[in-house]
Amino acid sequence: MKVHYHTAASLAASAILYLLFKSWGMAAACFISGVFIDLDHILDYLREQGWPFKVRRFFEICHNGQFDRIMLIWHGWEWLALWSLAAWVTDWNPLITGALIGIALHMIMDTLHNCNSPISYSLLWRWQKGFVFDEVFPKIAEQKYAHRQSFRQRTQ
Ligand SMILES: [Zn+2]
């Protein structure tokens, strides 16, 4: 999902949290975690493409799902479970709770937009699949290959 959607949703969620709990810390943690979790895409890009980092190429690869393998180290329901536990153990610390809500919102949006299977966002499941992109995100892979095939047919 594109960054501006996550930015808008995180901003809205942060505003609602601020209105409900009057905590700038909670609102900021929600916004920051909801947007910047996607920085893990940079790690996958650099692992496959190497240095130097090219911004335009980075967005092109992410948008078209042109990864051979994808780790997405911060996109994982497992992290969400740990954040939930941390929030509960700290008696719902505003920073931890805000981050939890931001991450949860981001993960739900990615799941609804990028695939129809929530299992794709399990870190352990991706690990079991060897982080192979086409196995982890079969619907995106299907669209990717259908698009390539139609492009070939148009250019022949
Ligand atoms: Zn994401």
Side-chain angles (χ1 to χ4, degrees), residues 1 6 34-35 37-38 40-41 72 75 106-107 110 114 121:
M1 174 166 274
H6 284 304
V35 175
I37 183 178
D38 268 346
D40 61 2
H41 286 69
L72 291 178
H75 287 69
H106 186 109
M107 296 280 295
D110 274 358
N114 294 338
Y121 285 102

Side-chain angles (χ1 to χ4, degrees), residues 6 14 30 32 45 56 91 107 110 117 119 144-145 155:
H6 284 304
S14 296
C30 175
I32 291 167
Y45 170 88
R56 182 176 291 180
D91 199 23
M107 296 280 295
D110 274 358
S117 173
I119 195 77
K144 182 171 70 174
Y145 292 117
T155 54

Side-chain angles (χ1 to χ4, degrees), residues 31 59 75 100 102 141 145:
F31 179 76
F59 281 107
H75 287 69
L100 168 66
Y145 292 117

